[in-house]
Amino acid sequence: MDLNKTIINRLSNQPIGVFDSGLGGLSILKALKNKLPNEQFVYFGDTAHLPYGDKSEATLKAYVSSIVSFLEQQNCKMIVVACNSATTVIQKINDLPFRDHQIVEVITPIVELVAAQKKYQKIGVIGTRKTIGSGMFDRELNRINPSLDIVAKATPLLAPMVEDGFVDKNVLFPIFEKYFEGFEDRELIIPACTHYPIIYHQIEEYFNNSLKVLHTPKIIAEKVDQVLLNQNLNNPDKTEKSDLFYLSDITEDFLREAVLFLDRDVDFKQVSL
Ligand code: DGL
């Protein structure tokens, strides 16, 4: 019996686990659903503990560990860390039940793509305190491509505002004024937080469409597709199973916000980890 083939076949039918501190990761899930219609997904949003961007490394590692174990128990074949803040700690956790090649995070694919392109030299990066403080964007971008001119800034209010539905430009623009000081000459902004797709348009409008905001969910979905294909893990048949959605805390507000990300209602179940 070809043992490898048996394992590959079994794994290709298993779901893909996706997680975030809250609902922002649904922006990644939406892109994954478009790119990979045959796959089943299990989503976990740690709404009881958000925001992740202001947590200590030890606390964040503990949260991420529990979620990854939960997704392992859901029989996931791989996981997508749909949170930049969680990505800053994932490689520092010992004994993860997934191997490196079974984990796709949201920082490395973006860094590799931006470092390799030639069109944009003046790059702005925005994200949570945790993400910007980690240096994973500016340090890595400059390591691979030292000619890039990078301004990285923590914009900690933006994720909670998106999570709370404050996405109107009249509310956002006064905050942008403060956060985007020094971004006037940027050519490309990397929105290094999975909550930000909801406000890409407002950011571009704030800059009178004079710069580009990188649409990251699509890039991550393409990476996941590539990883699945490389490992023969892509589900060849359309799964009959529905996606599963879990939150660690459920409120009416969360349910309303989820619709903003997914453009549809889904049935969330509460799980305390
Ligand atoms: N969505 C998370 C990220 O990409 C940020 C939100 C939070 O701070 O919890 O970093």
Side-chain angles (χ1 to χ4, degrees), residues 62-77:
Y63 292 158
V64 171
S65 275
S66 311
I67 297 169
V68 173
S69 301
F70 172 76
L71 293 173
E72 158 75 0
Q73 285 156 22
Q74 304 304 304
N75 205 26
C76 291
K77 61 183 169 190

Side-chain angles (χ1 to χ4, degrees), residues 4 10 15 25 63-64 77 86 131 151 162 199 204 245 272:
N4 273 334
R10 183 177 67 81
Y63 292 158
V64 171
K77 61 183 169 190
T131 300
V151 176
V162 168
I199 55 169
E204 281 169 345
F245 293 88
S272 304

Side-chain angles (χ1 to χ4, degrees), residues 20-25 49-54 82-86 106 127-128 131 156 159-160 163 192-196:
D20 178 42
S21 59
L23 302 171
H49 296 131
L50 68 87
Y52 273 9
D54 295 332
C83 174
N84 290 262
S85 309
V106 284
T128 65
T131 300
E163 194 86 29
C193 173
T194 53
H195 282 70
Y196 298 171

Side-chain angles (χ1 to χ4, degrees), residues 246-265:
Y246 297 98
L247 297 179
S248 50
D249 192 22
I250 296 184
T251 66
E252 283 302 313
D253 291 333
F254 287 141
L255 299 180
R256 209 177 38 244
E257 285 318 301
V259 179
L260 256 189
F261 282 99
L262 286 179
D263 301 321
R264 66 187 170 100
D265 273 318

Side-chain angles (χ1 to χ4, degrees), residues 45-108:
D46 197 5
T47 42
H49 296 131
L50 68 87
Y52 273 9
D54 295 332
K55 299 291 183 294
S56 70
E57 186 163 301
T59 300
L60 205 44
K61 279 162 88 175
Y63 292 158
V64 171
S65 275
S66 311
I67 297 169
V68 173
S69 301
F70 172 76
L71 293 173
E72 158 75 0
Q73 285 156 22
Q74 304 304 304
N75 205 26
C76 291
K77 61 183 169 190
M78 69 179 291
I79 54 165
V80 178
V81 186
C83 174
N84 290 262
S85 309
T87 296
T88 67
V89 301
I90 190 95
Q91 301 297 352
K92 299 179 182 170
I93 300 172
N94 298 325
D95 303 327
L96 279 178
F98 292 90
R99 313 283 285 278
D100 283 355
H101 64 276
Q102 297 165 326
I103 302 172
V104 173
E105 35 82 357
V106 284
I107 296 185
T108 310

